[in-house]
Amino acid sequence: MLDVVNLSHTYGTGPKAHHALGGIDLRVAEGELVCVVGPSGAGKSTLLRSIAGLLTPTGGQIRVNDTEVAGTPGDLAVVFQDYSRSLFPWVTVGDNVALPLRRRGKDKAARRAAAAEALAEVGLSGAAGKYPWELSGGMQQRVAIARALAYRPALLLMDEPFGSVDAQTREDLEDLVLKVRDHHRMTVLLITHDIDESVYLGDRVVVLTKAPATIAGELKVDLPSPRDQIATREHPAFVHLRAEVGRLVRGRDEHAPARP
Amino acid sequence: MRGRRLARGAAGVAGFMIIAEVAGRTGLIDPSVVPYMSTVLVEAVRLPADPQFAEGLGKTLMIWGTSLLISLLVAVPLGLLLGSLPRADLAARPLVEFLRPIPSIALVPLVTLVVPFVDTIKIIVVVFAATWPLLINTMYGLREVDPVAKETLRSFGFGRMSVLARVSLPSTAPFVMTGLRLASSVAFIVTVSTELLSGGISGIGVFMITAGASLRTDLIMAAILWTGALGLVANALLVGLQRQAFRWHAMKAVGG
């Protein structure tokens, strides 16, 4: 469904140039949930922004359903880490969710109905008339997820979606993502720096090296479904996988202790 | 809370007036030079019944309102254009920085020679003064639009114009409103100033000149009271409108 071929990107030119991506090959199958992990500053966000068409990579190709895309594919949704900046404070929660559906050619009533349905799905049935800033952080991120859901994207991109919420909310939101993606058989590419989260959520975990990022390795996650915050995390396979991912993130050849 | 603030303010005004009255009555201020405060107040209450003042008031409000509307229609689109085209902004900046500090009243002699209609002269000068705060605030507001909000809409496949209309404009609107408040008070000051300078058939400033010609200090001061009150009311109305329409802006700033 998504093919990233030899993608590279350099910010700026000359001696100040920052070589963020150094040739990434990545494939996401229809209905798959792939987590991308890597050390901070590894170019994870650059990868996501390239796929979303928010920046033009300096090299390589992005193909969606075997068609090369330049710019925004138009059939994807992005959930950003910074929900408070991503939601529009001047309109209600319901209108926030309904707005992107204009691109789907739906009339007002259909947009409103789809928004209400998506909000119910994330557990915010009564919130359509509220404003984003009247909600807690976790609820705001639920709204952002509902907005992406209502759009029914072929591909859902999530950029550190739970990086700004507390631990309990984070677990709730992780389970919410698993639930809605099971329900809609969505294709999801999720970026995180949290190793446990990548193993808990992913069908597959792709690990990036530090910049210029390349693929350090990838692991198939074979954990019983449905996942459970307590049982899955104490499963021997989970413990083993997170250790493997951890090694990849740190770098196989480095025997030095973890970087601060 | 609000009632108490209002009461304090009213007490301050009353206190000032009582001191002024006492200063007149005790001979501290010569009443033949500056009239009693009570006399001024009585005249101020009577003024709306004076046909010359009433007509002048209407004319002043007309010049003020028309100029503010024209400034809004000129400055906001121009600000949006300059704010979204960095190259145009760079080209226009030296000109803007040169024109902006020119006291608008200094244009009166020139405009008077070029334009034969006194109302038009006034409107041109007031528009010149009121355009700057609106233009600068619009450009500033556009620069402050959150890139994450814009990228969100772009990622859904919306084009440049949609992002402008659905993110940049609503996000800039509170800044335009602040510009409008500043422009409103500047426009009022300049309106009355042009009336004092250019004269004309009617206007609060024209009324003051006429009153001055017959040495009616009490009438001049009563008219001054009216200008102060008008400025106060206009600002209060705009602040109320801003609170109502852009509650989200204040709430977001608080970090809700």
Side-chain angles (χ1 to χ4, degrees):
Chain A
M1 127 109 264
L2 171 72
D3 279 295
V4 175
V5 185
N6 197 21
L7 191 76
S8 60
H9 188 72
T10 306
Y11 291 101
T13 49
K16 275 190 182 166
H18 174 63
H19 201 29
L21 299 179
I24 301 267
D25 288 290
L26 177 69
R27 185 161 208 172
V28 182
E30 187 91 49
E32 200 180 15
L33 196 166
V34 174
C35 291
V36 175
V37 276
S40 47
K44 300 186 293 284
S45 288
T46 306
L47 173 64
L48 179 133
R49 289 164 55 80
S50 302
I51 297 170
L54 296 174
L55 69 80
T56 310
T58 47
Q61 241 187 26
I62 290 158
R63 284 204 290 261
V64 175
N65 290 327
D66 293 322
T67 316
E68 183 171 0
V69 286
T72 310
D75 198 16
L76 63 79
V78 182
V79 173
F80 292 91
Q81 172 177 0
D82 220 335
Y83 43 78
S84 67
R85 295 169 61 194
S86 177
L87 296 175
F88 307 132
W90 48 87
V91 288
T92 60
V93 162
D95 287 343
N96 262 284
V97 176
L99 175 57
L101 300 172
R102 287 174 175 274
R103 291 272 308 158
R104 295 291 200 216
K106 291 188 175 187
D107 64 28
K108 197 169 181 179
R111 290 201 299 269
R112 196 161 281 175
E117 192 191 326
L119 282 169
E121 208 168 347
V122 301
L124 286 176
S125 305
K130 290 204 160 87
Y131 284 88
W133 33 267
E134 293 177 304
L135 305 178
S136 70
M139 280 155 91
Q140 288 183 40
Q141 192 59 306
R142 279 172 191 269
V143 175
I145 293 171
R147 178 169 63 183
L149 278 182
Y151 193 66
R152 297 260 182 278
L155 176 65
L156 174 62
L157 300 176
M158 305 184 96
D159 188 5
E160 302 261 9
F162 317 126
S164 307
V165 294
D166 62 82
Q168 179 59 49
T169 307
R170 184 183 188 114
E171 292 190 353
D172 293 345
L173 291 176
E174 284 169 358
D175 289 336
L176 173 68
V177 166
L178 287 176
K179 187 191 93 182
V180 296
R181 96 93 195 209
D182 272 352
H183 188 218
H184 298 289
R185 296 308 315 159
M186 260 190 307
T187 311
V188 186
L189 183 71
L190 185 143
I191 279 170
T192 176
H193 65 270
D194 185 318
I195 294 167
D196 284 26
E197 180 170 276
S198 71
V199 174
Y200 182 75
L201 288 175
D203 299 325
R204 197 150 53 88
V205 178
V206 173
V207 182
L208 298 186
T209 64
K210 26 180 199 178
T214 52
I215 306 277
E218 57 173 89
L219 290 164
K220 187 140 182 60
V221 180
D222 258 327
L223 286 170
S225 208
R227 301 203 179 154
D228 176 89
Q229 287 289 356
I230 293 168
T232 303
R233 286 176 194 270
E234 65 178 3
H235 198 284
F238 180 89
V239 177
H240 174 71
L241 279 164
R242 60 180 269 210
E244 278 296 303
V245 175
R247 269 181 215 112
L248 283 170
V249 169
R250 196 182 292 179
R252 269 196 199 286
D253 307 324
E254 281 179 41
H255 296 288
R259 286 184 304 276
Chain B
M1 176 64 204
R2 232 184 125 190
R4 248 172 88 176
R5 268 187 59 195
L6 224 63
R8 281 278 161 84
V13 173
F16 169 76
M17 287 181 164
I18 289 166
I19 291 170
E21 181 72 19
V22 170
R25 296 281 174 195
T26 54
L28 203 65
I29 298 172
D30 184 352
S32 66
V33 180
V34 180
Y36 294 137
M37 183 50 77
S38 50
T39 317
V40 173
L41 278 177
V42 170
E43 286 303 333
V45 172
R46 278 193 197 145
L47 271 186
D50 179 334
Q52 211 200 336
F53 180 81
E55 198 194 330
L57 182 67
K59 178 60 108 170
T60 300
L61 289 177
M62 191 277 282
I63 304 267
W64 181 18
T66 310
S67 307
L68 210 51
L69 190 69
I70 295 174
S71 299
L72 199 65
L73 293 177
V74 170
V76 174
L78 191 64
L80 291 175
L81 193 74
L82 293 179
S84 40
L85 300 173
R87 273 180 216 169
D89 181 22
L90 280 178
R93 185 155 299 187
L95 189 64
V96 169
E97 292 305 321
F98 169 73
L99 290 175
R100 200 157 65 101
I102 296 177
S104 49
I105 290 298
L107 296 181
V108 170
L110 174 68
V111 179
T112 306
L113 286 179
V114 180
V115 180
F117 312 104
V118 74
D119 284 356
T120 316
I121 296 170
K122 291 174 185 168
I123 288 173
I124 289 173
V125 173
V126 177
V127 166
F128 180 84
T131 295
W132 305 117
L134 275 163
L135 180 73
I136 304 289
N137 273 280
T138 305
M139 289 172 67
Y140 177 76
L142 204 59
R143 267 204 297 276
E144 291 292 298
V145 178
D146 197 317
V148 176
K150 285 198 271 189
E151 288 189 340
T152 299
L153 210 58
R154 269 176 64 202
S155 67
F156 282 110
F158 286 79
R160 267 179 77 111
M161 286 321 281
S162 296
V163 173
L164 179 70
R166 300 195 180 282
V167 176
S168 301
L169 285 186
S171 177
T172 305
F175 293 87
V176 175
M177 188 69 213
T178 302
L180 185 64
R181 269 178 58 199
L182 295 171
S184 159
S185 60
V186 168
F188 186 55
I189 291 167
V190 176
T191 302
V192 176
S193 305
T194 57
E195 285 169 353
L196 293 172
L197 213 63
S198 308
I201 299 159
S202 57
I204 297 182
V206 179
F207 178 86
M208 286 180 191
I209 293 176
T210 317
S214 46
L215 303 177
R216 291 291 303 270
T217 335
D218 54 339
L219 284 183
I220 296 179
M221 286 178 72
I224 290 174
L225 270 187
W226 270 93
T227 58
L230 278 177
L232 206 66
V233 168
N235 192 53
L237 284 177
L238 288 172
V239 169
L241 184 68
Q242 190 166 25
R243 286 222 180 100
Q244 273 294 311
F246 302 116
R247 199 161 65 98
W248 64 264
H249 193 244
M251 293 311 292
K252 198 175 147 75
V254 168

